[in-house]
């Protein structure tokens, strides 16, 4: 939105957008039509774009789309059991999900990345033996690198569990134990905290 009254959907991110956006550093300008010159940022990437017949520029709107996709892939999370995988491989919302218990809600292992699993494929057969294939088909937060990149806190006298990402500062996830209420929101600068390994 340009006026906070009229809203429209952003286009889906392409792999090319994601690659180019990773090379741009610094804060957003606030103007969707602003163009970042890749020749100044990364001359090699700019040369490849010119050879393929494309302009070596990235609009701020494309950078915003790519940044949202990066945040969703890196820190978009759901509680364990909120989604189930059928034997045919499709994933559905679990209509019988009644929330995590307070004890489970305080553990990082009870939350999963809501994206294609990466670490799960590297587990041994012994590690996979204890997993339920219908609910444990995503990557758990407990194995995130660097360790300590999540902060768990209890709010409102222990009735709400809040997780905050220290990698993408401004990402807050909430879950109300024993209910199916959960979600996340991001209010940040759109910059990844690359100094986190040195801060832990």
């Amino acid at each position: 939105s340009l006026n906070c009254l009229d809203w429209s959907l952003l286009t889906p991110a392409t792999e090319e957008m994601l690659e180019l956006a990773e090379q741009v550093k610094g804060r957003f300008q606030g103007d969707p039509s602003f163009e970042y010159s890749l020749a100044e940022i990364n001359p090699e990437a700019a040369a490849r774009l010119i050879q393929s017949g494309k302009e070596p520029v990235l609009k701020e709107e494309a950078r915003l789309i790519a940044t949202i996709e990066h945040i969703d892939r890196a820190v978009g999370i759901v509680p364990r059991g909120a989604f189930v995988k059928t034997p045919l491989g499709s994933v559905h919302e679990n209509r019988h999900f009644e929330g995590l218990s307070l004890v489970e809600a305080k553990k990082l292992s009870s939350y999963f990345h809501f994206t294609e699993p990466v670490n799960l494929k590297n587990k041994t057969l012994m590690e996979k033996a204890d997993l339920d294939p219908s609910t444990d088909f995503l990557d758990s937060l407990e194995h995130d690198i660097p360790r300590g990149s999540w902060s768990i806190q209890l709010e409102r006298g222990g009735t709400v569990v809040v997780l905050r990402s220290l990698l993408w500062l401004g990402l807050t996830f909430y879950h109300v134990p024993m209910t199916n209420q959960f979600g996340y929101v991001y209010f940040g600068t759109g910059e990844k905290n690359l100094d986190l390994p040195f801060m832990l």
Side-chain angles (χ1 to χ4, degrees):
S1 175
L2 297 173
N3 57 10
C4 294
L5 296 171
D6 303 314
W7 296 84
S8 59
L9 291 173
L10 294 168
T11 57
T14 63
E15 288 303 318
E16 184 186 27
M17 269 188 209
L18 295 171
E19 281 180 38
L20 295 176
E22 275 191 327
Q23 297 170 25
V24 180
K25 305 291 182 227
R27 300 247 170 133
F28 283 86
Q29 305 298 315
D31 176 11
S33 61
F34 180 82
E35 293 183 341
Y36 297 94
S37 172
L38 293 175
E40 297 171 11
I41 299 165
N42 188 336
E44 293 170 8
R48 282 196 305 269
L49 283 174
I50 292 168
Q51 286 175 352
S52 61
K54 296 177 183 171
E55 273 193 76
V57 294
L58 177 71
K59 284 196 169 186
E60 177 139 309
E61 182 180 7
R63 182 185 176 202
L64 176 64
I65 292 167
T67 302
I68 291 170
E69 182 68 22
H70 280 301
I71 292 169
D72 274 344
R73 286 185 186 182
V75 289
I77 57 176
V78 293
R80 181 180 186 270
F83 289 85
V84 290
K85 188 173 188 177
T86 65
L88 299 174
S90 60
V91 176
H92 301 285
E93 190 174 340
N94 185 358
R95 289 182 286 156
H96 303 291
F97 178 67
E98 295 179 354
L100 301 170
S101 67
L102 185 58
V103 174
E104 289 296 312
K106 291 192 247 180
K107 298 177 184 173
L108 266 184
S109 58
S110 298
Y111 301 96
F112 295 139
H113 287 281
F114 197 48
T115 187
E116 195 67 34
V118 177
N119 297 333
L120 193 64
K121 296 170 186 169
N122 300 332
K123 289 194 173 192
T124 64
L125 288 175
M126 289 293 285
E127 291 172 318
K128 287 182 182 177
D130 296 331
L131 301 179
D132 181 347
S134 65
T135 54
D136 300 322
F137 58 93
L138 298 169
D139 286 331
S140 170
L141 298 191
E142 68 180 334
H143 303 297
D144 278 11
I145 298 171
R147 290 200 183 275
S149 60
W150 289 96
S151 160
I152 298 182
Q153 295 157 346
L154 297 176
E155 302 284 341
R156 299 190 57 186
T159 58
V160 179
V161 178
V162 174
L163 276 77
R164 290 189 174 90
S165 173
L166 303 178
L167 192 60
W168 286 94
L169 296 170
L171 186 286
T172 303
F173 170 88
Y174 73 92
H175 175 52
V176 181
M178 307 306 290
T179 72
N180 61 359
Q181 297 177 31
F182 66 90
Y184 65 91
V185 66
Y186 177 76
F187 291 103
T189 61
E191 295 175 288
K192 193 174 185 179
N193 183 14
L194 299 174
D195 294 330
L196 181 61
F198 306 104
M199 297 166 74
L200 294 173

